[in-house]
Amino acid sequence: MVTPISVNKDLFDITLTDFNQQKVSLDIYRDKKLCIFMWASWWVCRAQLPVWQKTYKELFTEDDSVEFLSIAMDAIYQDKVKHFHQSAKAEFTTLIDTDNSLSKLMGFKVVPNILLINSYGELEYWKFGKADIRNSYYKNLLKTWLSG
């Protein structure tokens, strides 16, 4: 873990799109522990979705103060995002960042990414690029983060 960095102000001001083209403000996740997985339908990281679903069921469904959010960084292939989400039988929420708002805010240019944000809106961990839940390191990291 790293020294927490506050993202409370800017991150929660971002609005993304759901599968029905409805706008969803990240403000609804304020005051909760939040794990964000960022991916793209046009990149191989989409293959992680079934493993994230398994991890979600195992680690994230028991505690209402903890949320898991999948964000697809897809300006063009929005229809494919829903396809991959459904193919993974995902029960977690996936939103679409059509404007690359998160990339602009956080300065990353690659996916897949993981962000771990505490209930105070502080970014406790981030990995930009090569974040893979199929690697036991990340699952163990999540278990440690969730228990803390």
Side-chain angles (χ1 to χ4, degrees):
M1 299 288 183
V2 297
T3 303
I5 298 171
S6 180
V7 295
N8 207 11
K9 185 175 181 183
D10 296 327
L11 178 75
F12 295 110
D13 290 338
I14 289 176
T15 299
L16 303 177
T17 306
D18 68 12
F19 293 140
N20 298 315
Q21 303 303 312
Q22 299 298 308
K23 298 294 182 185
V24 178
S25 171
L26 293 185
D27 187 62
I28 64 173
Y29 298 101
R30 191 182 302 270
D31 301 325
K32 294 185 176 202
K33 279 183 109 168
L34 178 62
C35 173
I36 298 176
F37 170 61
M38 290 178 271
W39 59 285
S41 67
W42 44 265
W43 193 244
V44 296
C45 54
R46 65 183 181 246
Q48 293 186 45
L49 290 175
V51 182
W52 275 109
Q53 171 56 29
K54 183 179 175 185
T55 303
Y56 172 77
K57 287 196 69 103
E58 181 182 334
L59 300 178
F60 287 92
T61 56
E62 298 296 318
D63 187 346
D64 289 339
S65 68
V66 177
E67 293 284 345
F68 173 78
L69 180 61
S70 157
I71 299 177
M73 306 301 294
D74 275 83
I76 300 171
Y77 302 109
Q78 297 171 40
D79 56 327
K80 292 185 180 188
V81 172
K82 185 174 183 178
H83 166 76
F84 289 115
H85 177 89
Q86 291 174 333
S87 294
K89 297 181 173 62
E91 298 172 23
F92 49 77
T93 300
T94 292
L95 298 176
I96 306 167
D97 188 350
T98 57
D99 299 323
N100 288 315
S101 300
L102 288 166
S103 176
K104 292 172 189 170
L105 174 68
M106 307 198 85
F108 64 84
K109 297 184 189 294
V110 296
V111 289
N113 305 326
I114 296 175
L115 304 178
L116 300 179
I117 302 165
N118 67 25
S119 60
Y120 300 106
E122 297 170 328
L123 184 61
E124 293 187 313
Y125 177 86
W126 67 91
K127 172 68 174 160
F128 297 141
K130 298 184 181 180
D132 194 334
I133 192 62
R134 297 170 294 190
N135 180 326
S136 62
Y137 169 81
Y138 292 104
K139 190 162 188 181
N140 291 332
L141 175 72
L142 286 174
K143 286 179 182 178
T144 301
W145 178 72
L146 287 167
S147 67

